[in-house]
Amino acid sequence: MSAFIVLGAQWGDEGKGKLTDYLAEEANVVVRFQGGNNAGHTVEVGEKQYKLHLIPSGILHDDKLNVIGNGVAVDPNALFSEIDYLQREGVNVTPEKLIVSDRAQLIMPYHKTLDILKEKARGKNDIGTTGKGIGPCYTDKYERCGIRVCDLLHTEVFEEKLRFNIESKNAYITNVLGGEELNFDEIFNAYVKLGERLRPFVQDTSVRVYDEIKKNQTVLFEGAQGMLLDIDHGTYPYVTSSNTTAGGVSTGIGVGPTMITNVVGIAKAYTTRVGKGPFPTELEDATGEWIREKGHEYGTTTGRSRRCGWLDVVILKTTIRVCGLTSLVVTKIDTLANLEKIKVCVGYNFEGRVIDYFPASLEDLAKCEPIYEEFDGWDDSIADARSYDEIPENAKKYLKRIEELTETKISIVSVGPKRDQTIRVRKEL
Ligand code: GDP
Ligand code: IMO
Ligand code: MG
């Protein structure tokens, strides 16, 4: 039995999609447990590039079961757009290959409207959300007025819940946020159709995943977003609205923590962040710009430029603590090639002492000054390395130091976006 988690160790976009696709080779089942189509996971296979948002990155393999768990916010329009896109690209998506939890919350059109209008209303204090309706959908879940996939399959229940929601949302949208009223009939008719298309994909995914684990199948849980976007442990309020950390697996799929054998944290060799919020090692200079261009750091979902900065070991230590990482994967080390000097933040100076954790208050975090160690750079040949021995010496020193500072082993090093640009340093994840 093996069930392991692949999650983002920073602020998202660490290369989870690439690594999930690579590690799916060793798994039978690939599961998304939180987030929604705010995620953008890029997978390159041969000359083809796929962009996935809601569907697990195991879908490119023919023989894997892909699961969208109860913790995921499901926009059925986005789901079917993605299925249609994959089918056009020659990737078969059938209910044998993809199942969706009957307990998953649905993203409704009013969630997207609310997301956009609330961001506008926040003015300069906006969060910089993806505008996909994620926050308002999870708000309704906790408010206990959310509409779940199982409701959509019972038309009368759906009608009643939709009527209640449209009434209260319309009042808020028009009276408070100055937006336009949404039409019940339009939404009802469109969603009933979507529900019929969804029906064959729907299952109790907690039961199914548990059964698969019991049958000795290997399950890979694919995280979306990253550690510091976690609703509880991230840089609140500049976070997403779900638990992106390892604990999200138990609640977001319905399997106990004792089922999980390994937790793999994916970290870029530097740090990026999209949207607003604190970023202690951010480079708002020519080097930051250089990294953005070399690493093509533009959002997969929104196309926004990603803010770039040095690697921050404080972030990695936080992920190790909160998620119980068993190993780290370092990606995009090729992007740093040709820089003369590379820095790593090893701690923060905070009110006269050194700390290695994130203070809860953003006011305190703003006072934290990164303490850096400096490394000599390496050249572009790293992208051609296919074994650990072929990695340039200075890059090896960089990796070794990350292991020392984090007291965590690196299991995989990624030297490019393609499947074969992946170096397995240790078998054990
Ligand atoms: P995710 O959200 O964590 O799946 O990451 P994204 O797909 O949003 O962003 C990562 C980007 O980096 C994608 O364009 C990947 O194709 C690319 N990528 C992944 N690993 C590497 C790597 O090791 N080197 C380079 N140069 N690109 C990579
Ligand atoms: P993947 O899975 C990077 C960020 C948004 C914003 C904040 C809240 O590709 O790593 P939301 O729409 O979730 O309410 O936005 O979270 N964000 C991401 N940043 N990668 C992601 O996903 C993200 N998903 C959300 O930019 O700052
Ligand atoms: Mg992404």
Side-chain angles (χ1 to χ4, degrees), residues 11-14 16 32 38-41 115 127-135 223-226 229 238-241 273-276 300-302 304 306:
W11 273 293
D13 303 325
E14 299 91 346
K16 297 176 293 293
R32 277 279 305 270
N38 50 347
H41 296 178
D115 196 357
I127 291 163
T129 72
T130 59
K132 304 292 181 188
I134 303 293
Q225 291 81 51
L229 290 171
Y238 298 99
V239 292
T240 191
S241 302
R273 151 159 232 180
V274 209
K276 288 201 171 176
T300 311
T301 298
T302 57
R304 289 178 292 177
R306 295 177 182 150

Side-chain angles (χ1 to χ4, degrees), residues 77-130:
N77 271 309
L79 177 66
F80 288 117
S81 299
E82 202 165 317
I83 290 178
D84 293 343
Y85 150 75
L86 285 168
Q87 304 270 28
R88 282 196 304 276
E89 295 294 324
V91 180
N92 208 13
V93 186
T94 60
E96 283 67 49
K97 264 185 84 178
L98 176 72
I99 59 170
V100 180
S101 168
D102 48 7
R103 288 184 171 82
Q105 297 281 330
L106 289 171
I107 294 184
M108 304 299 295
Y110 46 79
H111 291 138
K112 276 190 278 186
T113 305
L114 286 168
D115 196 357
I116 292 160
L117 291 176
K118 280 182 168 182
E119 277 284 88
K120 227 189 239 168
R122 284 185 193 112
K124 67 175 179 38
N125 294 322
D126 66 332
I127 291 163
T129 72
T130 59

Side-chain angles (χ1 to χ4, degrees), residues 3-279:
F4 62 97
I5 308 173
V6 169
L7 55 80
Q10 294 155 324
W11 273 293
D13 303 325
E14 299 91 346
K16 297 176 293 293
K18 176 195 156 157
L19 264 298
T20 297
D21 168 72
Y22 170 81
L23 289 169
E25 199 64 65
E26 297 167 29
N28 309 97
V29 185
V30 182
V31 183
R32 277 279 305 270
F33 55 93
Q34 47 70 231
N37 60 318
N38 50 347
H41 296 178
T42 317
V43 181
E44 289 194 19
V45 186
E47 292 312 306
K48 265 194 154 166
Q49 187 188 66
Y50 301 89
K51 289 182 189 295
L52 300 164
H53 299 282
L54 194 49
I55 296 179
S57 304
I59 200 75
L60 304 178
H61 298 259
D62 270 337
D63 54 344
K64 312 294 171 193
L65 173 68
N66 293 271
V67 180
I68 295 178
N70 61 276
V72 178
V74 177
D75 179 336
N77 271 309
L79 177 66
F80 288 117
S81 299
E82 202 165 317
I83 290 178
D84 293 343
Y85 150 75
L86 285 168
Q87 304 270 28
R88 282 196 304 276
E89 295 294 324
V91 180
N92 208 13
V93 186
T94 60
E96 283 67 49
K97 264 185 84 178
L98 176 72
I99 59 170
V100 180
S101 168
D102 48 7
R103 288 184 171 82
Q105 297 281 330
L106 289 171
I107 294 184
M108 304 299 295
Y110 46 79
H111 291 138
K112 276 190 278 186
T113 305
L114 286 168
D115 196 357
I116 292 160
L117 291 176
K118 280 182 168 182
E119 277 284 88
K120 227 189 239 168
R122 284 185 193 112
K124 67 175 179 38
N125 294 322
D126 66 332
I127 291 163
T129 72
T130 59
K132 304 292 181 188
I134 303 293
C137 175
Y138 283 119
T139 301
D140 279 2
K141 169 177 172 173
Y142 288 99
E143 174 69 18
R144 292 155 295 178
C145 64
I147 303 181
R148 297 189 296 167
V149 166
C150 57
D151 301 324
L152 190 55
L153 305 186
H154 293 91
T155 311
E156 303 87 77
V157 177
F158 178 62
E159 182 172 0
E160 193 189 326
K161 292 196 172 189
L162 183 65
R163 246 185 229 294
F164 172 82
N165 272 290
I166 291 268
E167 218 169 276
S168 61
K169 264 50 170 205
N170 268 343
Y172 185 57
I173 287 170
T174 55
N175 297 333
V176 179
L177 298 170
E180 283 190 21
E181 204 169 84
L182 285 108
N183 182 285
F184 170 86
D185 289 332
E186 260 173 42
I187 298 174
F188 178 75
N189 293 331
Y191 268 65
V192 167
K193 267 195 204 146
L194 288 164
E196 283 318 308
R197 196 173 167 195
L198 192 58
R199 193 181 290 276
F201 294 90
V202 179
Q203 273 190 33
D204 185 323
T205 52
S206 167
V207 170
R208 180 67 187 270
V209 170
Y210 184 76
D211 284 349
E212 296 292 336
I213 294 173
K214 283 285 178 201
K215 281 192 291 184
N216 259 335
Q217 299 289 287
T218 298
V219 180
L220 187 172
F221 296 96
E222 176 187 14
Q225 291 81 51
M227 165 69 225
L228 287 176
L229 290 171
D230 182 90
I231 186 77
D232 286 291
H233 298 282
T235 44
Y236 192 90
Y238 298 99
V239 292
T240 191
S241 302
S242 65
N243 281 117
T244 59
T245 39
V249 169
S250 281
T251 53
I253 198 68
V255 294
T258 49
M259 297 273 175
I260 309 298
T261 47
N262 297 74
V263 188
V264 186
I266 316 292
K268 268 181 202 171
Y270 46 99
T271 311
T272 63
R273 151 159 232 180
V274 209
K276 288 201 171 176
F279 184 170

